């Protein structure tokens, strides 16, 4: 099995979500686990949507998230509420960073999100 097959297997079977957006915040790739986490029927339903407008329950959280990214180049354990397909919200913790194109320019943001809704309820 080559490294590409291993990575595909990991991403296709993980409970956490891997996502990637372009510079404008549009979703360009998400792992299949996103379907379950956000209650959509397919990955295709998510592609092209804007994170701030379509998924963040409070778009201001996206603004703060981006400010932290600009300052540090990454965020760790950043908590945010996301809106699911049915309108309900979940709390996720994300580790995210900028990714760059072949010329070294920022191409967008990518990261991993973990649903921590149950943990937050207990707290």
């Amino acid at each position: 099995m080559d490294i590409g097959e291993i990575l595909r297997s990991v991403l296709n079977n993980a409970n956490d979500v891997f996502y990637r957006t372009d510079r404008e915040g549009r979703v360009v790739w998400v792992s299949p686990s996103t379907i379950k986490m956000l209650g959509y029927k397919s990955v295709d339903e998510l592609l092209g949507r804007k994170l701030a407008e379509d998924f963040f329950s409070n778009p201001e959280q996206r603004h703060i998230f981006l400010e932290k990214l600009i300052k540090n180049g990454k965020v760790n354990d950043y908590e945010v509420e996301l809106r699911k397909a049915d309108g309900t919200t979940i709390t996720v913790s994300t580790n995210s960073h900028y990714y760059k194109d072949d010329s070294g320019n920022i191409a967008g943001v990518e990261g991993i999100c973990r649903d921590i809704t149950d943990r937050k309820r207990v707290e």
Side-chain angles (χ1 to χ4, degrees):
M1 190 181 280
D2 73 4
I3 191 69
E5 290 175 26
I6 293 169
L7 290 174
R8 261 188 302 283
S9 177
V10 168
L11 290 173
N12 286 335
N13 293 296
N15 288 325
D16 292 344
V17 164
F18 177 84
Y19 76 95
R20 181 176 261 201
T21 68
D22 63 14
R23 287 183 55 91
E24 287 76 40
R26 286 185 300 266
V27 176
V28 295
W29 196 91
V30 291
S31 59
S33 53
T34 312
I35 296 166
K36 181 178 178 186
M37 183 184 282
L38 295 179
Y40 285 85
K41 294 179 180 146
S42 73
V43 166
D44 289 339
E45 284 185 84
L46 302 163
L47 299 179
R49 291 178 176 234
K50 288 196 130 192
L51 275 182
E53 295 152 10
D54 295 329
F55 301 108
F56 275 61
S57 65
N58 178 355
E60 179 63 21
Q61 286 182 323
R62 175 76 173 165
H63 178 73
I64 295 167
F65 169 82
L66 290 174
E67 284 179 349
K68 290 178 182 282
L69 267 179
I70 291 166
K71 181 179 178 185
N72 304 313
K74 64 181 181 176
V75 297
N76 291 315
D77 299 320
Y78 182 79
E79 293 182 13
V80 63
E81 283 191 358
L82 297 180
R83 189 173 39 255
K84 295 173 63 170
D86 65 5
T88 61
T89 60
I90 60 170
T91 304
V92 301
S93 174
T94 185
N95 295 324
S96 300
H97 64 271
Y98 286 118
Y99 70 94
K100 297 183 178 180
D101 63 20
D102 293 337
S103 301
N105 300 310
I106 293 174
V109 177
E110 65 184 7
I112 296 174
C113 295
R114 172 170 287 171
D115 185 346
I116 59 168
T117 304
D118 291 339
R119 186 184 89 199
K120 294 301 282 184
R121 283 187 191 132
V122 169
E123 290 176 0

